[in-house]
Amino acid sequence: MNSPQFVSSRRMSVYDPIHQINMWGEGFKSNGNLSASMTLIDEADLKFDSSQSEDASHSILGTSNKYDQEASRPIDKIQRRLAQNREAARKSRLRKKAYVQQLESSRLKLVQLEQELERVRQQGMYMGGGLDSNNMCFVGPMNSAFEMEYGHWVDEQNRQITEMRIALNAHISDIELRILVDGMMNHYTEIYRMKSAAAKADVFYVMSGMWKTTAERFFLWIGGFRPSELLKILGPMIEPLTEQQRLDIDNLGQSCQQAEDALSQGMEKLRQTLADSVAAGQFMEGTYVPQMASAMERLDALVSFVNQADHLRQETLQQMSRILTIRQSARCLLALGEYFQRLRALSSLWSNRPREPA
């Protein structure tokens, strides 16, 4: 059984509101000031409430900031990654552009070297034929690019000639044959487009025919072949012809001859005009800028003559395809292609002929 003292001690250890009020009352009596005591209580309570509010506020703000940081962290990471990807793509584009420019520059240099080597190989004695080699080597980047394109054009023409020969021997249908004829016609249109661009860059180069073989240059007329001469050559190769076809081809030949004469007369007048422009003024004065300016103004007419001559050649081929049947047109184009092959073969044989020692 517990002693009274022990019970009393246990009771004191338990919170007793009556006892707490009595203690506050005695405190009020001893202090003698109820207001001051209430102030102390209020301040204590306020301090307690304020500290709890601040702790709660800090806890809430801390949790909110933590959530905001965690939410914004993936967005920042994605933005940094996108920025890094954009920068890497920009550097990749710059490297690719520099690489392409380097390749293009190397290609042009290689083409120029190949063309110069090919010219020396094919023309042999021409380099030492009384002309100053420093003055005749005038192949620039634009002309080198044209000669490379023309080489591809000749390769494609040879392929089409072989295909056309096989097709005619196999007696394929007219529909299939027309596809081949249209392809060869379009191929000639392509060379005229290439020549027009080259003439704008260097009309003297196109007029000289340096992109052709020596035998082809022997028959050169304003940068190409004479349509009237080819009609005379091709006529017997496309027989049999009807009377109407012969009449139409004869009329076409006369029209070509008249157009060629008109262009030749115009070229002769232009040549004389250029000569007069260059020779104008007094010699031995050491200045001729005005004369060169006047001559330069007339060179555009020379480009126009080249384009007109090519237009006449193209129009002649188109008129022949209208006059002839599809099989006759195929034989005509085949004969035309083989004619130029023979001229190129003649040039190669002449360049590689055995020479007697000097």
Side-chain angles (χ1 to χ4, degrees), residues 19-31:
H19 176 73
Q20 186 67 38
I21 291 173
N22 291 334
M23 289 180 64
W24 287 347
E26 291 177 359
F28 296 156
K29 289 180 181 180
S30 63
N31 291 333

Side-chain angles (χ1 to χ4, degrees), residues 127 131-139:
M127 295 293 291
L131 293 177
D132 185 0
S133 60
N134 293 327
N135 292 332
M136 67 156 296
C137 189
F138 53 86
V139 179

Side-chain angles (χ1 to χ4, degrees), residues 52-119:
Q52 284 186 336
S53 299
E54 289 178 359
D55 292 342
S57 175
H58 285 305
S59 176
I60 294 171
L61 290 175
T63 304
S64 176
N65 291 335
K66 181 179 179 181
Y67 289 154
D68 291 342
Q69 291 176 359
E70 291 179 354
S72 62
R73 192 173 301 161
I75 298 177
D76 294 340
K77 187 182 296 184
I78 292 174
Q79 290 177 347
R80 286 196 302 271
R81 188 176 300 168
L82 290 175
Q84 291 173 356
N85 291 341
R86 286 193 295 268
E87 181 65 16
R90 185 183 68 84
K91 291 181 179 179
S92 178
R93 288 193 297 269
L94 291 176
R95 287 194 299 268
K96 182 178 179 181
K97 182 178 180 181
Y99 179 67
V100 170
Q101 290 176 348
Q102 183 180 4
L103 284 179
E104 181 65 17
S105 177
S106 300
R107 184 186 69 82
L108 291 176
K109 291 180 181 178
L110 179 61
V111 168
Q112 185 173 359
L113 289 174
E114 289 177 347
Q115 295 298 333
E116 290 175 357
L117 290 173
E118 182 67 17
R119 180 171 290 106

Side-chain angles (χ1 to χ4, degrees), residues 122 125 214-215 344-355:
Q122 288 189 355
M125 298 296 294
T214 51
R344 289 191 287 267
L346 178 61
S347 299
S348 180
L349 291 172
W350 175 254
S351 299
N352 297 321
R353 72 189 186 279
R355 298 177 176 85

Side-chain angles (χ1 to χ4, degrees), residues 20-235:
Q20 186 67 38
I21 291 173
N22 291 334
M23 289 180 64
W24 287 347
E26 291 177 359
F28 296 156
K29 289 180 181 180
S30 63
N31 291 333
N33 192 343
L34 180 62
S35 299
S37 300
M38 291 299 293
T39 302
L40 291 173
I41 296 172
D42 292 341
E43 289 177 355
D45 292 340
L46 287 173
K47 288 180 179 179
F48 174 77
D49 294 340
S50 175
S51 63
Q52 284 186 336
S53 299
E54 289 178 359
D55 292 342
S57 175
H58 285 305
S59 176
I60 294 171
L61 290 175
T63 304
S64 176
N65 291 335
K66 181 179 179 181
Y67 289 154
D68 291 342
Q69 291 176 359
E70 291 179 354
S72 62
R73 192 173 301 161
I75 298 177
D76 294 340
K77 187 182 296 184
I78 292 174
Q79 290 177 347
R80 286 196 302 271
R81 188 176 300 168
L82 290 175
Q84 291 173 356
N85 291 341
R86 286 193 295 268
E87 181 65 16
R90 185 183 68 84
K91 291 181 179 179
S92 178
R93 288 193 297 269
L94 291 176
R95 287 194 299 268
K96 182 178 179 181
K97 182 178 180 181
Y99 179 67
V100 170
Q101 290 176 348
Q102 183 180 4
L103 284 179
E104 181 65 17
S105 177
S106 300
R107 184 186 69 82
L108 291 176
K109 291 180 181 178
L110 179 61
V111 168
Q112 185 173 359
L113 289 174
E114 289 177 347
Q115 295 298 333
E116 290 175 357
L117 290 173
E118 182 67 17
R119 180 171 290 106
V120 172
R121 185 186 68 81
Q122 288 189 355
Q123 298 175 5
M125 298 296 294
Y126 185 72
M127 295 293 291
L131 293 177
D132 185 0
S133 60
N134 293 327
N135 292 332
M136 67 156 296
C137 189
F138 53 86
V139 179
M142 180 64 186
N143 297 337
S144 297
F146 170 76
E147 289 192 7
M148 183 184 67
E149 289 182 344
Y150 178 69
H152 294 327
W153 186 90
V154 171
D155 292 338
E156 176 62 19
Q157 185 190 42
N158 292 335
R159 187 196 66 79
Q160 290 181 351
I161 290 171
T162 302
E163 187 178 17
M164 183 67 75
R165 185 183 300 110
I166 295 173
L168 287 173
N169 292 332
H171 303 288
I172 64 175
S173 67
D174 288 353
I175 296 176
E176 294 173 309
L177 202 58
R178 180 170 294 280
I179 295 175
L180 298 180
V181 169
D182 291 342
M184 294 189 76
M185 292 290 291
N186 292 333
H187 194 55
Y188 279 104
T189 301
E190 180 65 16
I191 188 60
Y192 300 138
R193 182 198 63 78
M194 291 163 50
K195 285 177 61 182
S196 178
K200 291 179 181 179
D202 189 350
V203 65
F204 293 116
Y205 168 77
V206 176
M207 289 285 295
S208 67
M210 292 301 296
W211 44 282
K212 285 182 170 292
T213 59
T214 51
E216 289 176 297
R217 288 201 300 272
F218 181 73
F219 297 98
L220 199 67
W221 174 77
I222 313 183
F225 60 85
R226 283 182 176 269
S228 60
E229 290 183 357
L230 280 183
L231 288 178
K232 295 176 183 178
I233 295 172
L234 297 177

